């Protein structure tokens, strides 16, 4: 039983990302965009080996589902490059599991999405998406803290 729990703890980030990406509903999770939460968390805040390439592939899959020309993939690569400057910005030792940095991460992408098609409906949908992702970041990362114990 102990070995099964250890295997589950190791595979949790991958399974959570896959589950949130597949759980695609238009209003609540368009194109599986909630998968950006574990992608960001397990790449930058609680770094897991072999997850970077997995996160890059899923950012590409989110872009593919949204018909975006590599928007989230480029933002992910940009933040990965910025994360290399650990002397100036240390995401692993921030408060609240780096929720403010995550809000910056999705805020850049959503701001670009707002200005790509400037209509009221697009504006309201993207603001809703920003708020929804920001609110769900804390409970989803709390699941990891709970399982880690």
């Amino acid at each position: 039983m102990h070995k099964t729990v250890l295997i589950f703890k190791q595979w949790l980030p991958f399974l959570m990302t896959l589950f949130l990406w597949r759980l695609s509903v238009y209003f609540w999770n368009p194109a599986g965009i909630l998968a950006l939460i574990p992608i960001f968390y397990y790449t930058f805040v609680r770094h897991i080996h072999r997850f970077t390439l997995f996160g890059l592939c899923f950012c590409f899959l989110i872009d593919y589902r949204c018909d975006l020309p590599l928007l989230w993939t480029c933002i992910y690569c940009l933040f990965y490059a910025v994360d290399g400057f650990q002397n100036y910005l240390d995401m692993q030792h921030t408060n609240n599991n780096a929720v403010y940095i995550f809000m910056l991460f999705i805020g850049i992408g959503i701001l670009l999405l707002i200005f790509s098609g400037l209509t009221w409906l697009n504006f309201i949908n993207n603001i809703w998406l920003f708020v929804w992702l920001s609110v769900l970041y804390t409970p989803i990362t709390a699941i990891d803290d709970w399982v880690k114990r």
Side-chain angles (χ1 to χ4, degrees):
M1 182 68 176
H2 183 66
K3 188 168 183 136
T4 307
V5 171
L6 286 176
I7 290 173
F8 177 72
K9 285 181 181 181
Q10 288 177 346
W11 284 97
L12 177 70
F14 301 98
L15 294 174
M16 188 184 302
T17 305
L18 184 63
F19 175 74
L20 288 173
W21 180 72
R22 288 290 296 158
L23 186 71
S24 179
V25 180
Y26 174 72
F27 185 72
W28 300 106
N29 188 13
I33 202 156
L34 285 179
L36 287 175
I37 295 171
I39 289 171
F40 178 85
Y41 182 70
Y42 291 116
T43 301
F44 302 118
V45 180
R46 191 174 157 247
H47 182 70
I48 293 179
H49 299 289
R50 301 177 307 272
F51 194 80
T52 305
L53 185 59
F54 185 78
L56 184 68
C57 291
F58 268 88
C59 283
F60 176 76
L61 290 173
I62 290 169
D63 286 336
Y64 179 74
R65 270 194 177 173
C66 290
D67 290 332
L68 296 172
L70 301 177
L71 174 75
W72 293 111
T73 308
C74 290
I75 293 172
Y76 179 79
C77 290
L78 175 73
F79 267 73
Y80 190 77
V82 168
D83 189 43
F85 298 113
Q86 284 287 331
N87 297 339
Y88 304 109
L89 180 67
D90 190 12
M91 288 188 246
Q92 294 177 352
H93 297 100
T94 58
N95 296 337
N96 299 327
N97 290 329
V99 68
Y100 298 120
I101 300 172
F102 176 72
M103 290 169 70
L104 178 70
F105 174 72
I106 61 168
I108 291 170
I110 290 184
L111 190 66
L112 291 173
L113 287 175
I114 285 174
F115 290 118
S116 68
L118 200 55
T119 63
W120 281 108
L121 184 62
N122 185 23
F123 179 76
I124 291 170
N125 282 338
N126 285 318
I127 294 299
W128 158 250
L129 192 60
F130 176 78
V131 170
W132 185 240
L133 282 166
S134 299
V135 166
L136 286 181
Y137 182 79
T138 303
I140 289 176
T141 56
I143 290 171
D144 177 65
D145 293 337
W146 179 70
V147 168
K148 197 168 41 171
R149 281 190 244 161

